Amino acid sequence: MQEPDGVLPFYLTGSPQSSRAVISGRLARLSGPVSSILSRHAWPDAVNEVAAEAMALAACLSSQMKFEGVFTLQAKGDGPLKTLFADVTHAGDLRSYAAFDEQALAGVPCAAPAVLPRLMGSGYMAFTIDQQSPTRPDGQRYQGIVELDGPHLGDAAHLWFKNSEQLASVFLTAAAPSETGWHGAAIMLQSIAASGGTGEAQPGASDIWHDAVSFFSSVKRAELLDPDLSSEQLIWRLFHLLGPHIQPLRPVRDKCRCSAAKVEGALRGLAEADWQELADDQGLLVVECEFCKTARSYSQDQLAAL
Ligand SMILES: [Zn+2]
């Protein structure tokens, strides 16, 4: 049976007898949204693989947002794949975008593990949390940047948390195609600070963390992607000795935030000479959303009436 797509938050108390959360976890497994986004873009498989991982990792990290906002993951490199982008709103609306040099990409062997370094070369990954909105003008806005390091995007996320002396965290990301489309998955664990902020973990937590990381390191990428193993089963299989508590799934869906009103707002100030230059042979100005590929076309008359 196909599970709903989304992020399953959970926490570990250290033992079945304890009720105090010591470690928080997230398991993101995305099939439907990743498949539909990737099928619209029709990128080469090597790009699909890292984009599916990026979407799952972004979904995992986005579920830590407490308020309305957007979590963005963006990687930039000097290899054939120049830009990799995925963002997720607090409501679970997911988008993705990639920019690459098609010719250079053709020379990259795709059907092998650890495709990220060959695709992106050296570069960085940035993630941004933007919780500012008209109703929350003082909302949190935050950006973290880390060098791309390691064969998977999860390795860069791990490095950022390590370098920035935030709470101890571990990540694993995976992606693979199947007969029904692409699947992306990510799992993370993070220690919980004693007072709710960053800093010292709870007393006695380091032994529990050590055990949790050792169970975590036993998980295989194939298990993360196994459609016959539910997310709950996987969490129980890994952490049943550490008192796992599973919370409600946060759904993730393929939903772009573009709209005719936004496009028209951007076109409204366009000078007539620019319209002429941008219009096609039929006199239509076609604006395609780079995320969802929706094309909206406007005639000269329609543009003038905006
Ligand atoms: Zn769109």
Side-chain angles (χ1 to χ4, degrees), residues 35-45 47-48 100 102 293:
S35 295
S36 56
I37 288 170
L38 294 181
S39 66
R40 272 200 307 274
H41 284 291
W43 293 324
D45 274 352
V47 176
N48 286 336
F100 51 88
E102 218 156 318
K293 314 301 280 178

Side-chain angles (χ1 to χ4, degrees), residues 95 255-259 289-294 296:
R95 312 185 298 180
K255 187 164 189 294
C256 192
R257 304 197 297 281
C258 69
S259 67
C289 174
E290 64 182 4
F291 294 104
C292 70
K293 314 301 280 178
T294 300
R296 297 179 171 90

Side-chain angles (χ1 to χ4, degrees), residues 10-15 18-25 167-168 189-194 200-210 212 242-243 245:
F10 59 96
Y11 64 89
L12 308 176
T13 61
S15 78
S18 171
S19 58
R20 185 192 60 169
V22 178
I23 293 168
S24 75
L167 296 165
L189 289 182
Q190 188 164 65
S191 65
I192 295 174
E200 284 296 300
Q202 299 184 22
S206 67
D207 289 344
I208 301 171
W209 176 253
H210 182 266
L242 295 176
H245 291 252

